[in-house]
Amino acid sequence: MNAPATTELPVVVIGAGPTGLAAAAHLVDRGIEPLVLEAGPTAGAAVRDWSHVRLFSTWSEVVDPAAEKLLAPTGWTRPDPATYPSGGDWAELYLQPLADVLGDRVRLGATVTGVSRAGRDRIVDADRDKQPFVVHTTHADGREERLFARAVIDASGTWATPSPAGGSGLPALGEKAATDRVTYRIPDLKDPAVRVRYAGKRTAVIGSGASAFTALAHLADLAKSDDGAGTKAVWILRRGISGSTFGGGEADQLPARGALGLAAKTAVDEGYADAVTGFRTEAIERDAGGRLVLAGEDGRRLDAVDEVIVLTGFRPDLTFLDELRLDLDERLQAPVGLAPLIDPNQHSCGTVYPHGHRELSHPEPGVYLVGTKSYGRAPTFLAMTGYEQVRSVAAAIAGDLDAADRVELTLPETGVCGGAGLFDAPEAAQADGGCCAPTPQLVQLGVPAAVGAAAEEAPAGGCCGS
């Protein structure tokens, strides 16, 4: 089969999450046909996996303008812009209607297994840029298909590839064997079957971002309930506790995000969670009763727990992009033009600079990683950032470089200074406060009704957003 002329082809968008569907809306607005390939059975499949978690961004911040324009003729109206949706709300009230409007442009149950240039593997230079992209997919029924595209926008996120408990970036010894007691998601404690798993139990929560805050607050709420007596959390941090550990607090321009960190602080201060600092997990073992014992790289062994919740972030799956020439930062696995703007070891308080097609470009013209996947392993993503990315990318694909280079977004500041810092430095681990953030004040929040983590495909923490 000969590949068709590139100009006749659609732009393939990988992933029907918030950023992927927004990319499709911007392409339609530009008169370019998108083809959205979603591995899950529904639009926003990953978001639905954390439907019980409330976003810390309001409806005004999680609806893309081009998507809203596409939805308007159907009579769709944005929910109260000042309220905070849950993941389930976001999926049902916005993502699903948007996918419905896009219609046959969205294909469900289509897993992308490879992307390349037609007739050109990674090493071939001859006429490479003149060839369309070829996208291999596997459908839910096992059928394989080859599709051609003029450009590829990878908005597949990182939800399917959570980072492990091991402090070295590798699974801890015994981690895979303990999968019956280990989860990499925030448990839905409103589900009776899930609730009984954690009620009255001792649970280790590994992680230091918004997802860990949410889990700690939920477990504290369970401990206060009639059926949760004896519930206890053990919060495992790889660094020490400092003034920025709990986020921006009252200085955060996303108030619900600040309140979330304060809720986690409340859980610790009220005794519902014990914090273990400077602990990097080396092994997960079982004691004689089948409970789990976490062993650290420094030789420490913690008291046994019944369950482990690993919330150490996510990482991009790059395997199906291996035949493309990508330029990725060696640490973050983010595009090299973007990495310095989001590096949690370096970036400080203030905003992450709004960015677009130039920061997201690669040596392989016409391929873009957007949304949480563009951030690689960095934890600081906001939905608004993804919407600005795809607005710029769609304009660039359309040849409108003036619009593509224009900045049309102002991000809220975190109120936290200094980023994560070099966590091995004692002065960084123990420093109190910061140049622009007061030490968070204790507030009686329990599990705030309007608090939760928000990202494209996954709740995540970070010093400047999520």
Side-chain angles (χ1 to χ4, degrees), residues 65-78 98 101:
E68 188 167 16
K69 178 180 176 181
L70 193 61
L71 284 163
T74 70
W76 184 88
T77 56
R78 184 191 309 198
L98 180 54
V101 169

Side-chain angles (χ1 to χ4, degrees), residues 137-185:
T137 64
T138 299
H139 295 267
D141 60 4
R143 177 173 54 91
E144 295 182 330
E145 185 177 11
R146 182 174 67 163
L147 303 167
F148 294 100
R150 61 187 289 186
V152 174
I153 299 175
D154 183 358
S156 59
T158 56
W159 179 248
T161 48
S163 295
S168 300
L170 301 173
L173 299 178
E175 182 173 345
K176 294 180 180 179
T179 52
D180 60 320
R181 299 286 186 91
V182 178
T183 183
Y184 301 86
R185 309 288 187 249

Side-chain angles (χ1 to χ4, degrees), residues 37-96:
L37 303 176
E38 166 59 46
T42 62
V47 173
R48 294 175 193 272
D49 277 354
W50 49 274
S51 60
H52 57 291
V53 179
R54 193 165 299 279
L55 281 71
F56 53 57
S57 296
T58 63
W59 273 111
S60 66
E61 297 160 334
V62 298
V63 174
D64 176 79
E68 188 167 16
K69 178 180 176 181
L70 193 61
L71 284 163
T74 70
W76 184 88
T77 56
R78 184 191 309 198
D80 183 350
T83 60
Y84 296 85
S86 66
D89 296 334
W90 203 14
E92 288 295 331
L93 302 180
Y94 169 62
L95 299 179
Q96 188 60 56

